[in-house]
Amino acid sequence: MILDSVQKTAAAVAGATALLLVLAGCTGGGTAGSSSTPVDGGTLVYASGDAEPTCLDPHVGGNYPQALLSTQYIEELTALEDGKPVPALAKSWTTSNDGTTLTFTLRDDVTFTDGTPFDAAAVVANIEHVQDPATASSTGYLALQSITKATATDDHTVTLTLSRPDSALLESFSQPWVGMESPKALERSQAVNCESPVGTGPFEVTGWKHGDRVTLRKNSDYTPLDGDTKPRLDGIAWRFLPDSTSRYAALQSGQVDVIDNAQPDQIQAASSKGSIRDLDAPRPGASNRLELNSGHGVFRDEAVRKAFIAGAEIDPGIRSLFLGTAKRSYSVLSSVEPYAYSDKSLFRYSPTKAEQLLDDAGWKVGSDGIREKDGKQLTVTFPVSTNQSVPAERSLFQQIQASEKAVGFKVVLEELDLSSWYAALAANEYDVVSAPYTKVGADVLRILYDSASITPAPSGYFANLAQLDDPALDDLLQRAARISDASERGKLYEQAQQTILSSGTVLPLYDQQNHFLLRSSVHGVQTTAVSTPWFGTAWIDR
């Protein structure tokens, strides 16, 4: 899983129409910092508040912490420019008239950091690795579902046979979860490859001290796209500092150069001319939202789901907790997605409506204020990933919990680490969940809400956490995935979103937050299609 969007220049905060610039096979939302004379050398220290990956190979599982790191050493077949696929490791491509054959022509000047050439055989090996159930992929696996066979037609030509036309496949190939790794390295055991995956990027993994840091060094043989600048940094020390206060203090003191998962007050304090700058833009794909599990417990009843939505007071919490750094969403898609559709009318806070719906559904107020029916309380289990939810968001959930109690729901918040959170979802032990998901393009709707996604991927993760099972919706999403005409796709995606939003299975909150704070001495940071920072052209003015 994920999660997405593009970081902007410190002085130019990204908006919903942020331009995507191609650089060295990456897609950037701009360049962080500026100075007259770039310098070589030095080690950049990055401090992450996201969960430490359990595997550095983004093919395995496929979450956002993996993407943050792997962007530095793994590259993709395509990139995005103005939201459209452009060449990266693939120089060009053609699609058959019926849309079921995609042929890539590859760069012939690229080598993996273990000396293995990047060629057609390597692409085939990577696709097969992502699709192999033993890899236990989720994000990559779901992105490449349409591929039935990959064939090396010659040394630098790959032909993909598809089960159906897939209008999102070129977008999908811009993501690190399907990035290219050395086929020689992939032949090692998964345990070994998880410790030291091998890519073609500007850096390579040299060590991993679990619970502390991953060390990366410059790939001196890196071959940039279109002759762009080779890496200037000697390396990166990628530290794991889960405590937000400690992380920010380390940035202020100069012990670290860049941090992620910045808190609202820290973001607010950043200045375009100060010692700490903010790189900000919402991720692509889905918005931050609550998914109501329609396949389990009390939320099988649509009336109860809609009562929960009406009883959720959200806006005051977003205003007070996020200090203007987050804007309320009424869409299942991020605001940067051109096909995003909103309907504010479905999500107005109305405790009176919530109470009436619950009364009509037979839930009566008990002595403690919690409603009851057939001897059972109206209980909603809400597991929260402490690695993915910043403190401000967890406080927002507590405020929602309080507003739901006022209409008769007992919301049980369970704060869990990432692995326990995944386990709770896999066991269907949840009624409502906040599940950020990052995927470029509106095809994320198919992954999240097609009934086929109730079936787990090889990793055990299933993306349709709302367990929405609607054949008419499936048809809309599958038709949109097959159509290349932008106007027709837009109409289908709008209809699909209307269905999803009106189902009572989704409660949008705000765009996924993606703030990176960096010291003003850091320059030249680019960003990728999924909004991870890319340090291939970064440098530090010590």
Side-chain angles (χ1 to χ4, degrees):
M1 277 179 65
I2 337 13
L3 354 353
D4 321 307
S5 148
V6 182
Q7 299 312 321
K8 290 292 285 181
T9 305
V13 179
T17 59
L19 294 179
L20 300 175
L21 308 175
V22 178
L23 178 69
C26 292
T27 312
T31 304
S34 61
S35 184
S36 57
T37 309
V39 296
D40 292 343
T43 297
L44 181 142
V45 182
Y46 183 103
S48 181
D50 249 314
E52 181 176 2
T54 56
C55 176
L56 301 185
D57 173 3
H59 292 181
V60 179
N63 57 32
Y64 202 70
Q66 289 174 304
L68 284 166
L69 250 171
S70 64
T71 294
Q72 316 311 322
Y73 48 84
I74 288 175
E75 296 181 303
E76 296 79 31
L77 291 179
T78 67
L80 294 183
E81 183 174 5
D82 296 333
K84 297 178 181 178
V86 295
L89 289 178
K91 294 195 302 183
S92 62
W93 50 82
T94 59
T95 304
S96 63
N97 290 335
D98 66 358
T100 61
T101 303
L102 175 62
T103 301
F104 284 112
T105 301
L106 309 174
R107 291 179 62 185
D108 59 6
D109 59 346
V110 178
T111 303
F112 293 97
T113 53
D114 64 359
T116 305
F118 168 72
D119 56 15
V123 174
V124 171
N126 275 266
I127 291 172
E128 291 178 346
H129 185 246
V130 171
Q131 293 187 324
D132 184 350
T135 301
S137 172
S138 59
T139 308
Y141 177 86
L142 293 170
L144 302 187
Q145 282 180 304
S146 63
I147 301 174
T148 57
K149 186 174 179 59
T151 305
T153 326
D154 60 39
D155 285 351
H156 293 95
T157 307
V158 175
T159 299
L160 306 182
T161 303
L162 312 182
S163 60
R164 57 171 173 81
D166 187 347
S167 58
L169 188 56
L170 289 171
E171 294 174 349
S172 295
F173 272 120
S174 72
Q175 302 177 132
W177 304 289
V178 294
M180 295 295 108
E181 303 181 41
S182 164
K184 180 180 178 181
L186 291 177
E187 291 175 355
R188 304 175 298 176
S189 70
Q190 185 173 101
V192 172
N193 201 61
C194 278
E195 292 285 322
S196 57
V198 177
T200 63
F203 300 94
E204 58 183 313
V205 178
T206 58
W208 183 6
K209 184 179 179 181
H210 291 259
D212 181 22
R213 70 187 64 199
V214 173
T215 54
L216 308 170
R217 73 181 173 203
K218 176 171 65 177
N219 174 10
S220 299
D221 297 322
Y222 180 63
T223 307
L225 178 66
D226 295 334
D228 284 316
T229 305
K230 289 197 174 188
R232 297 186 183 278
L233 297 169
D234 290 334
I236 302 173
W238 198 280
R239 297 178 58 188
F240 302 106
L241 293 177
D243 180 72
S244 61
T245 302
S246 300
R247 195 166 59 250
Y248 185 61
L251 179 71
Q252 288 179 304
S253 67
Q255 296 177 65
V256 303
D257 300 300
V258 184
I259 66 171
D260 59 31
N261 282 30
Q263 305 308 304
D265 60 329
Q266 299 164 3
I267 297 165
Q268 194 177 53
S271 166
S272 62
K273 294 183 179 180
S275 60
I276 295 176
R277 314 287 175 83
D278 173 29
L279 298 179
D280 165 42
R283 300 180 190 179
S287 63
N288 259 13
R289 69 220 178 280
L290 300 184
E291 303 275 20
L292 280 60
N293 185 352
S294 63
H296 171 79
V298 297
F299 284 151
R300 287 192 181 98
D301 187 338
E302 181 178 344
V304 177
R305 298 197 303 270
K306 292 187 173 180
F308 184 90
I309 289 170
E313 188 173 22
I314 296 167
D315 292 5
I318 290 180
R319 286 194 297 268
S320 64
L321 295 168
F322 288 90
L323 306 177
T325 64
K327 183 179 179 181
R328 177 69 196 275
S329 172
Y330 302 97
S331 173
V332 290
L333 289 181
S334 166
S335 63
V336 301
E337 293 295 347
Y339 294 128
Y341 169 84
S342 297
D343 189 342
K344 184 177 181 178
S345 68
L346 295 173
F347 303 104
R348 292 194 176 98
Y349 172 55
S350 176
T352 301
K353 177 182 177 180
E355 291 168 349
Q356 186 63 59
L357 285 166
L358 293 173
D359 286 343
D360 294 345
W363 290 94
K364 305 302 180 184
V365 179
S367 58
D368 59 356
I370 302 302
R371 290 178 180 259
E372 299 174 348
K373 182 179 179 180
D374 300 329
K376 295 183 179 179
Q377 286 193 316
L378 185 57
T379 302
V380 171
T381 301
F382 186 170
V384 177
S385 166
T386 55
N387 300 112
Q388 296 184 114
S389 289
V390 297
E393 183 176 72
R394 298 203 293 274
S395 295
L396 177 63
F397 295 159
Q398 291 168 2
Q399 292 190 12
I400 293 172
Q401 178 188 43
S403 72
E404 297 292 357
K405 183 178 181 181
V407 298
F409 282 95
K410 180 180 180 180
V411 178
V412 180
L413 290 171
E414 298 178 341
E415 294 198 349
L416 305 171
D417 61 34
L418 190 59
S419 60
S420 300
W421 182 80
Y422 276 128
L425 303 191
N428 203 26
E429 294 174 351
Y430 69 96
D431 295 296
V432 63
V433 67
S434 170
Y437 198 97
T438 303
K439 183 191 186 300
V440 175
D443 187 58
V444 69
L445 296 170
R446 179 185 57 82
I447 288 176
L448 293 176
Y449 300 110
D450 191 303
S451 62
S453 292
I454 297 174
T455 302
S459 67
Y461 180 79
F462 61 97
N464 187 345
L465 294 170
Q467 298 193 27
L468 192 51
D469 188 354
D470 183 339
L473 175 61
D474 293 349
D475 179 65
L476 287 170
L477 295 171
Q478 291 161 17
R479 284 162 56 200
R482 289 174 167 85
I483 292 175
S484 58
D485 180 83
S487 177
E488 290 302 313
R489 288 183 77 198
K491 292 176 183 177
L492 290 170
Y493 281 132
E494 181 172 326
Q495 292 176 55
Q497 289 173 85
Q498 289 171 342
T499 300
I500 295 164
L501 292 172
S502 63
S503 70
T505 60
V506 181
L507 177 56
L509 300 176
Y510 54 90
D511 278 342
Q512 289 191 59
Q513 297 294 283
N514 220 35
H515 290 272
F516 302 103
L517 298 185
L518 66 158
R519 295 188 61 80
S520 58
S521 56
V522 178
H523 308 277
V525 181
Q526 296 289 322
T527 50
T528 71
V530 295
S531 305
T532 56
W534 185 77
F535 300 110
T537 51
W539 56 279
I540 305 175
D541 183 4
R542 298 292 189 192

